[in-house]
Amino acid sequence: MSHTGWTFLTNHARVLATIADDHTARIRDIAVHCRLTERAVQKIIVDLERDGYLSHTREGRGNAYRIDPTKVLRHPAEAGLGLTVASLLSLLVLDEADRNRRAAPGRSAGTG
């Protein structure tokens, strides 16, 4: 589905949420999931690492990312409220129980 106009989430938030969902996701997979180019994802990861929201360690041929959940969000409106990465991700990333409920056969959205 193509989309024009504005969206609620920034690409940085999308990439961070995707990494939170899978700490070993490859840049290629993040790009596909977020509908971005691999280069755009690389730049976003550099931004997030530079400002301390994200770090990585090399594991074999891939990376394992670590998100700092205590970091306060950058925008002054959110920072003034003390909103953290953890509070943002709690809204954006499904936990294992939510994934299982969504994947349950015979269930549709809005039931249950």
Side-chain angles (χ1 to χ4, degrees):
M1 171 194 290
S2 88
H3 172 36
T4 58
W6 64 273
T7 64
F8 282 100
L9 299 177
T10 66
N11 289 336
H12 283 67
R14 285 187 186 93
V15 168
L16 195 64
T18 302
I19 290 171
D21 193 47
D22 180 0
H23 291 279
T24 60
R26 298 177 306 169
I27 287 177
R28 174 182 302 134
D29 298 329
I30 297 168
V32 168
H33 182 80
C34 295
R35 297 183 179 192
L36 299 169
T37 65
E38 289 181 36
R39 184 69 186 130
V41 170
Q42 288 172 334
K43 287 180 180 182
I44 289 169
I45 288 173
V46 166
D47 288 345
L48 293 170
E49 286 186 319
R50 180 187 59 235
D51 291 339
Y53 291 89
L54 186 67
S55 61
H56 77 274
T57 55
R58 197 79 176 145
E59 286 190 359
R61 294 179 61 196
N63 291 319
Y65 296 98
R66 184 189 162 282
I67 295 170
D68 182 349
T70 65
K71 287 287 286 186
V72 176
L73 300 182
R74 284 175 47 102
H75 194 278
E78 290 103 21
L81 298 173
L83 294 176
T84 63
V85 169
S87 59
L88 172 67
L89 292 175
S90 71
L91 298 171
L92 299 178
V93 179
L94 295 175
D95 64 19
E96 195 63 34
D98 287 333
R99 279 192 206 99
N100 291 338
R101 278 194 293 277
R102 285 188 177 205
R107 305 235 356 192
S108 62
T111 63

